Amino acid sequence: MPRQPPPDGARFRLEATEQGWMLLRDGDPMTTDGRGETGGFQPQYSFTLAQVFDADLAMSNHWTSTAPSSRFTHTPIASIVLPNGFASLIGRNYRRRSGADTTVGEITDPRVYRIRMSLLFGIDLSVEDVAALGLF
């Protein structure tokens, strides 16, 4: 089977569990969304080989986008895999890794937030959109 290295240089491993399968990732934590920053192989997500119905996917997507305990309902998150790294914007916190170079910072100006979202993530937000996020 051909292997394709990920742009961020991470390694992945599948492990069988009692419930199914777990995908684990070992790589620079700066190339993720900030979870699992302890190093070594970290769980990413689990899955089974059971059939999935459209209704199951719809319900999961609904929960992710509406449940108060879902981080996606209270924290704006954008991430992108780059040709030589990864970038994420979680709230106002920006991370970008390109090769061996890492940039971390906080965006404190809504104009810079709009520019970063547009140029890096391809998401064009209006002034009103950014204001509605409540970040500034």
Side-chain angles (χ1 to χ4, degrees), residues 77-129:
I77 300 172
S79 63
I80 188 168
V81 175
L82 303 169
N84 191 26
F86 184 88
S88 66
L89 184 54
I90 302 171
R92 297 178 359 174
N93 298 311
Y94 172 74
R95 295 177 175 198
R96 181 175 181 169
R97 179 170 178 244
S98 181
D101 298 326
T102 300
T103 304
V104 179
E106 180 181 8
I107 297 174
T108 59
D109 184 327
R111 295 170 296 183
V112 173
Y113 188 91
R114 286 183 64 220
I115 292 168
R116 182 89 53 178
M117 288 295 286
S118 180
L119 294 178
L120 188 58
F121 299 101
I123 300 172
D124 294 322
L125 299 173
S126 68
V127 171
E128 295 79 18
D129 292 334

Side-chain angles (χ1 to χ4, degrees), residues 24-72:
L24 299 115
R25 178 186 179 281
D26 179 22
D28 185 339
M30 292 298 291
T31 62
T32 69
D33 64 5
R35 294 177 288 173
E37 293 190 19
T38 59
F41 279 98
Q42 298 292 314
Q44 298 299 292
Y45 61 86
S46 62
F47 62 95
T48 70
L49 301 179
Q51 182 176 1
V52 177
F53 298 96
D54 289 344
D56 296 327
L57 297 174
M59 181 56 105
S60 296
N61 288 334
H62 176 74
W63 182 90
T64 300
S65 63
T66 62
S69 59
S70 168
R71 70 190 196 130
F72 297 103

